[in-house]
């Protein structure tokens, strides 16, 4: 078997009383997308900080392309691209200047960084806006520029921490297509997300993390198999009816019912088909339950997540860092404006 591009073994990390990671282990092959799925506070961002060499684990080991993220941090940083949850671009610079600045920080020669900046602007449909200040950009344009900046160094591994949070559906779909193209070109992507649809579309392998632990791993289809062949779903008008409906449907399913209070639904795995649907309709009607919808469908990653964790993927939890500062594996990346000043004062190699 080929050596994994990313390998994490029994990694732990605590912030005071918060156990952010509790023995996490996972692998990802080259040229694939590893989806890290979990609610806020699950430990996803903590793991991303460790993989991007910005945070030291308390124990365990993480490697990328065979290099240790702590011992070989300096070497790894030239191989990794990182786009966090918020666009980290300088509003006072133009889009082109932001990209060329990143190239200079990577010690890319002048002609080459200009070529790469133009390449990124074209790839992310920002050519016309390339010479405008970023403060004039829309949120979606800034997000594309931020993702493009993470590619200027031609990284082997791209780490994306909830890259589409807050984007409109059209821009989100465009970013999905761009990520798919990067993977086709050979880039390995680590993608953290709360969007189950996003994980299902992009990820070759999904790791579900909850409260600092891996609770499941596999392809989308493999994870769906855990939820059974089909799902009986009842959506109620009154949220107060949820527990009553769950009790009524328990004997009709092949597993325990799952309650989603946010969407006012009860889902039960079943293999009974139309007969179960008819029986459920009669049972709920006889009990006076008012429904928005009742049906049988294929299981989704929503069902998988509910069955594994008991709550929906977007449910808020304790903050992963509990307000504690990160322990850096090396100097923290400077803010864009500070970086520009530093580059102007002390030119790097090949400038």
């Amino acid at each position: 078997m080929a050596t994994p591009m990313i390998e994490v073994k029994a990694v732990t990390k605590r912030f005071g009383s918060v156990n952010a990671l509790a023995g996490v282990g996972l692998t990802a092959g080259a040229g694939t997308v590893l989806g890290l799925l979990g609610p806020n506070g699950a430990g996803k961002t903590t793991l991303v900080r460790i993989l991007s060499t910005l945070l030291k684990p308390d124990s365990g080991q993480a490697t990328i392309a065979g290099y240790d993220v702590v011992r070989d941090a300096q070497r790894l940083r030239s191989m990794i691209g990182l786009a966090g949850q918020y666009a980290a671009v300088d509003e006072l610079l133009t889009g082109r200047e932001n990209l060329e600045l990143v190239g200079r920080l990577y010690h890319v020669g002048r002609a080459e960084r200009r070529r790469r900046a133009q390449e990124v602007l074209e790839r992310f449909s920002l050519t016309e806006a390339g010479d405008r200040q970023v403060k004039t950009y829309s949120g979606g344009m800034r997000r594309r520029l931020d993702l493009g900046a993470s590619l200027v160094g031609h990284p082997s591994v791209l780490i994306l921490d909830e890259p589409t949070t807050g984007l409109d559906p059209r821009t989100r779909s465009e970013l999905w297509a761009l990520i798919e193209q990067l993977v086709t070109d050979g880039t390995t992507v680590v993608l953290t997300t709360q969007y189950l649809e996003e994980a299902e579309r992009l990820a070759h392998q999904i790791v579900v993390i909850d409260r600092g632990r891996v609770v499941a791993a596999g392809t989308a289809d493999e994870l769906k198999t855990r939820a059974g062949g089909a799902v009986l779903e009842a959506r109620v008008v009154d949220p107060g009816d949820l527990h009553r409906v769950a009790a009524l449907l328990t004997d009709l399913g092949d597993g325990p019912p799952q309650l989603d209070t946010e969407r006012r639904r009860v889902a039960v795995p079943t293999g009974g088909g139309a007969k179960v649907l008819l029986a459920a309709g009669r049972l709920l009607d006889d009990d006076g339950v008012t429904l928005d919808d009742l049906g049988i469908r294929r299981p989704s990653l929503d069902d998988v997540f509910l069955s594994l964790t008991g709550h929906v993927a977007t449910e808020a939890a304790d903050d992963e860092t509990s307000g504690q500062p990160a322990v850096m594996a090396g100097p923290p990346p400077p803010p864009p404006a500070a970086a520009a000043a530093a580059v102007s004062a002390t030119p790097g190699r090949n400038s």
Side-chain angles (χ1 to χ4, degrees):
M1 181 180 295
T3 302
M5 175 62 78
I6 298 171
E7 189 167 21
V8 176
K9 297 180 179 178
V11 164
T12 68
K13 186 65 188 179
R14 292 185 66 88
F15 298 98
S17 61
V18 177
N19 204 11
L21 295 175
V24 168
L26 54 83
T27 61
T32 65
V33 177
L34 171 66
L36 299 179
L37 183 63
N40 290 330
K44 305 186 305 296
T45 296
T46 298
L47 182 56
V48 160
R49 290 174 180 171
I50 288 172
L51 289 175
S52 55
T53 76
L54 298 178
L55 187 66
K56 292 181 179 179
D58 293 336
S59 64
Q61 183 184 40
T63 60
I64 296 178
Y67 296 108
D68 187 275
V69 296
V70 176
R71 187 175 58 251
D72 305 312
Q74 205 64 33
R75 184 167 188 174
L76 270 178
R77 287 172 185 166
S78 65
M79 302 171 59
I80 297 171
L82 171 64
Q85 294 181 21
Y86 305 99
V89 290
D90 192 321
E91 293 188 345
L92 299 180
L93 299 179
T94 67
R96 189 184 307 277
E97 287 169 343
N98 267 281
L99 296 172
E100 291 189 11
L101 171 60
V102 173
R104 190 164 187 178
L105 294 174
Y106 270 106
H107 304 299
V108 176
R110 181 179 300 167
E112 178 62 12
R113 66 175 176 258
R114 287 177 178 172
R115 187 192 69 79
R116 293 188 189 184
Q118 181 61 31
E119 180 183 76
V120 167
L121 291 172
E122 293 174 359
R123 186 169 204 170
F124 287 81
S125 302
L126 291 170
T127 305
E128 292 184 4
D131 295 311
R132 282 168 34 200
Q133 284 184 303
V134 172
K135 67 180 180 181
T136 68
Y137 284 18
S138 67
M141 292 168 68
R142 294 184 192 203
R143 204 72 187 100
R144 295 204 304 274
L145 180 65
D146 186 51
L147 182 56
S150 70
L151 300 176
V152 169
H154 289 179
S156 303
V157 174
L158 181 61
I159 301 174
L160 305 176
D161 192 10
E162 299 189 16
T164 61
T165 296
L167 295 184
D168 61 83
R170 178 182 175 182
T171 305
R172 181 178 296 134
S173 182
E174 290 173 352
L175 276 182
W176 287 353
L178 288 167
I179 292 169
E180 288 171 330
Q181 183 58 54
L182 291 172
V183 174
T184 298
D185 294 342
T187 304
T188 302
V189 175
V190 177
L191 171 73
T192 79
T193 183
Q194 296 182 38
Y195 297 117
L196 297 164
E197 179 189 4
E198 186 165 85
E200 185 163 10
R201 169 166 169 174
L202 296 175
H204 298 88
Q205 183 83 357
I206 298 172
V207 173
V208 182
I209 299 178
D210 191 43
R211 296 179 174 89
R213 300 180 183 276
V214 173
V215 295
T219 65
D221 286 339
E222 288 170 347
L223 293 178
K224 286 181 184 180
T225 300
R226 297 190 178 196
V231 175
L232 171 66
E233 180 178 283
R235 198 180 303 268
V236 301
V237 173
D238 182 0
D241 287 336
L242 280 173
H243 290 282
R244 181 157 58 108
V245 170
L248 290 168
L249 297 183
T250 295
D251 292 338
L252 295 179
D254 297 333
Q258 302 295 332
L259 279 68
D260 183 345
T261 55
E262 182 179 336
R263 297 165 185 164
R264 307 190 317 279
R265 70 174 187 173
V266 177
V268 183
T270 180
K275 290 182 179 180
V276 169
L277 180 62
L278 291 172
R282 286 193 296 266
L283 192 62
L284 296 174
D285 186 58
D286 290 345
D287 207 73
V289 177
T290 305
L291 297 173
D292 262 346
D293 192 28
L294 177 67
I296 289 182
R297 56 172 174 73
R298 292 185 62 236
S300 67
L301 285 181
D302 279 293
D303 302 308
V304 174
F305 201 90
L306 272 169
S307 66
L308 290 170
T309 68
H311 51 77
V312 296
T314 54
E315 181 175 304
D318 291 338
D319 183 71
E320 291 174 14
T321 61
S322 188
Q324 300 297 319
V327 180
M328 307 304 291
V343 169
S344 298
T346 56
R349 292 173 294 167
N350 303 321
S351 58

